[in-house]
Amino acid sequence: MRKLPLAHKHLEIGARMGGFASWEVPLFYKSIREEYFTCKNNCGLFDISHLGKFIVQGKDAEAFMEFISTRHFPEKVSPRGKVSFFLNIRGGIIDMSLIYKIEDRKFLIFTNAGAREKFFLWTSYIANQHHFDIEVEDHTEGSLLFSIQGPKSREVVKRVFSENLDSLPRFGWKKLAASNHSLMIMRSAFSYEDGFEIWHQGIDNGNIWETLLRQITEQGGCPCGFGVRDLLRFEASLPLHGQEIDETVTPLELKKEYLIEWGKEDFIGKSSLYLERKIGPKKQLVGIEIIEGRKIPRYGYPVYSSQNLPCGYITSGNYSFMFRKILGLGFLDQQSYSPGEELIISAPGGKIKGRIVDIPFITSFPRKENEK
């Protein structure tokens, strides 16, 4: 398994390490529950250096990005990034990524760790086949990426970098020209919390991590592991590569048509998506509340209708500290299912009863802890 550049720093402060997308990452430091409420009510610091980090640049960079992504990018450098899908010709999702146009003919792309190799090979192949004059550079293992999430994250970032970030919009970004480091701050988080991501194009012996950790600890926050990161994204019903996202799933099945800009002249997968839009998607992502049974539904568990007919499968499940109940995400087939309808989930050792609920489960978090 690959190790994070600062793995030793995490071990020094008691991280429990585990595997994720071929990387050894911190799962938690003290407990997932404590880190969850600290992140929700104060702020948490995550090392997300495992994410794929790519630079696409060259003479045809704009035309290339228009062709491979579902979003449109203006000719000028944009002050805000965009979440976009990269699709195969059938409209299946290769990855759902965050894209920043940081210079003329130059883009920064963050991909899921599980899609990193596939993204690099796929973009290189498309560029070669269609004769785009571009270069794709993988900066994943030579750089650091940190996330600070929570209502007090802005205070910490302003204190560390002495930057006024009050006017920075969601997905806005800013280079720190006065810094001795090559740093870029982005206002984004893999949840519905306020948050910032900090990309450092180097390792720097972990000095930035130490500075952030010290400031967050003084603020009353704490380092957070992947257990909390996954729970926060799950409660916000954000899709994860390898679970809700793979090449058999389309953006329409995820109910994310708003990330497709149909007015573009063309992009990979457009004709397939357009046909799917006319006839309707084959499956749909739904939320499920467990109403009988104490097992957490896991990826791949079969789902049956109340008439005991097979109708789908689970993609994610977790216990929500906010709702104090077990929830799940899953795909159901093309039939029309409504909130409140009961389902049966087949799990090892028995069945779980659930019912369909609206997603996202939650769109904004209360700022006071409701559980001691």
Side-chain angles (χ1 to χ4, degrees):
M1 296 184 72
R2 295 184 175 94
K3 291 186 180 294
L4 296 173
L6 302 183
H8 61 290
K9 296 285 185 182
H10 301 299
L11 291 170
E12 287 172 3
I13 55 177
R16 177 71 64 86
M17 307 295 282
F20 177 80
S22 79
W23 288 81
E24 186 180 56
V25 298
L27 299 180
F28 61 88
Y29 297 83
K30 293 184 178 180
S31 75
I32 293 177
R33 182 186 181 281
E34 181 177 341
E35 292 169 19
Y36 173 86
F37 281 109
T38 300
C39 189
K40 273 175 31 62
N41 300 300
N42 195 306
C43 59
L45 174 62
F46 301 79
D47 184 348
I48 55 172
S49 300
H50 69 298
L51 291 180
K53 312 171 199 70
F54 293 91
I55 295 289
V56 172
Q57 61 183 331
K59 176 184 175 183
D60 298 329
E62 282 82 3
F64 179 70
M65 293 303 298
E66 288 289 306
F67 183 60
I68 67 168
S69 74
T70 60
R71 305 299 300 274
H72 170 67
F73 296 93
E75 293 183 6
K76 295 181 179 179
V77 174
S78 174
R80 298 180 70 173
K82 289 187 176 184
V83 178
S84 177
F85 289 110
F86 296 108
L87 308 175
N88 60 32
I89 59 173
R90 297 180 302 277
I93 303 171
I94 291 173
D95 195 32
M96 177 178 169
S97 305
L98 190 51
I99 305 171
Y100 296 92
K101 185 173 184 180
I102 54 176
E103 293 179 17
D104 185 35
R105 301 177 180 176
K106 186 173 184 179
F107 294 82
L108 170 63
I109 305 170
F110 294 108
T111 72
N112 186 278
R116 174 191 167 194
E117 285 83 0
K118 182 193 295 186
F119 179 84
F120 180 77
L121 293 172
W122 177 73
T123 50
S124 300
Y125 171 79
I126 296 297
N128 182 63
Q129 285 293 104
H130 294 269
H131 307 291
F132 285 106
D133 185 2
I134 57 109
E135 293 181 358
V136 182
E137 301 171 357
D138 187 347
H139 290 256
T140 304
E141 298 191 37
S143 62
L144 299 173
L145 185 63
F146 305 129
S147 174
I148 302 176
Q149 294 188 37
K152 297 186 179 179
S153 57
R154 189 187 309 183
E155 299 173 26
V156 171
V157 174
K158 287 174 67 175
R159 192 179 304 120
V160 171
F161 299 108
S162 302
E163 289 286 331
N164 184 359
L165 303 171
D166 292 341
S167 61
L168 196 66
R170 186 157 176 81
F171 300 122
W173 62 275
K174 187 173 186 179
K175 285 185 178 180
L176 300 188
S179 172
N180 293 326
H181 313 285
S182 181
L183 291 174
M184 179 171 159
I185 296 179
M186 301 147 284
R187 191 174 184 185
S188 59
F190 195 34
S191 69
Y192 282 130
E193 287 289 349
D194 194 11
F196 296 85
E197 293 178 345
I198 300 157
W199 182 42
H200 174 39
Q201 294 173 265
I203 304 302
D204 191 40
N205 297 319
N207 292 333
I208 294 177
W209 167 266
E210 294 283 2
T211 302
L212 290 169
L213 182 61
R214 183 170 58 253
Q215 290 292 342
I216 280 181
T217 303
E218 292 176 2
Q219 179 76 39
C222 69
C224 295
F226 278 57
V228 171
R229 181 172 168 83
D230 186 58
L231 178 53
L232 290 174
R233 78 88 197 167
F234 170 76
E235 287 185 331
S237 304
L238 297 173
L240 181 63
H241 187 276
Q243 289 182 237
E244 288 75 35
I245 289 177
D246 61 39
E247 290 197 55
T248 70
V249 175
T250 73
L252 301 185
E253 292 171 340
L254 286 178
K255 302 177 182 176
K256 294 195 177 294
E257 186 175 348
Y258 64 90
L259 295 179
I260 302 169
E261 300 193 37
W262 297 102
K264 291 173 55 172
E265 182 176 348
D266 194 18
F267 58 85
I268 297 175
K270 181 179 179 180
S271 58
S272 296
L273 281 188
Y274 190 74
L275 177 61
E276 181 187 11
R277 191 188 192 195
K278 281 189 171 183
I279 64 176
K282 293 182 179 179
K283 57 184 180 288
Q284 57 181 321
L285 187 68
V286 302
I288 301 172
E289 173 190 352
I290 303 305
I291 57 177
E292 189 177 303
R294 302 185 64 182
K295 292 183 179 179
I296 294 177
R298 301 298 184 188
Y299 177 84
Y301 285 10
V303 178
Y304 298 83
S305 70
S306 55
Q307 290 79 38
N308 210 32
L309 298 174
C311 63
Y313 63 96
I314 294 295
T315 56
S316 295
N318 217 323
Y319 177 79
S320 169
F321 295 117
M322 173 58 63
F323 294 103
R324 303 186 188 183
K325 62 182 64 173
I326 298 171
L327 300 171
L329 291 171
F331 282 110
L332 300 186
D333 60 32
Q334 197 174 15
Q335 299 178 46
S336 178
Y337 293 94
S338 304
E341 197 164 339
E342 293 192 358
L343 301 168
I344 299 169
I345 302 164
S346 178
K351 295 182 178 180
I352 308 169
K353 184 179 286 187
R355 62 169 162 245
I356 299 174
V357 294
D358 290 327
I359 52 175
F361 299 119
I362 195 164
T363 56
S364 62
F365 288 83
R367 297 313 182 194
K368 292 185 179 180
E369 183 172 346
N370 69 338
E371 179 178 344
K372 298 297 182 182

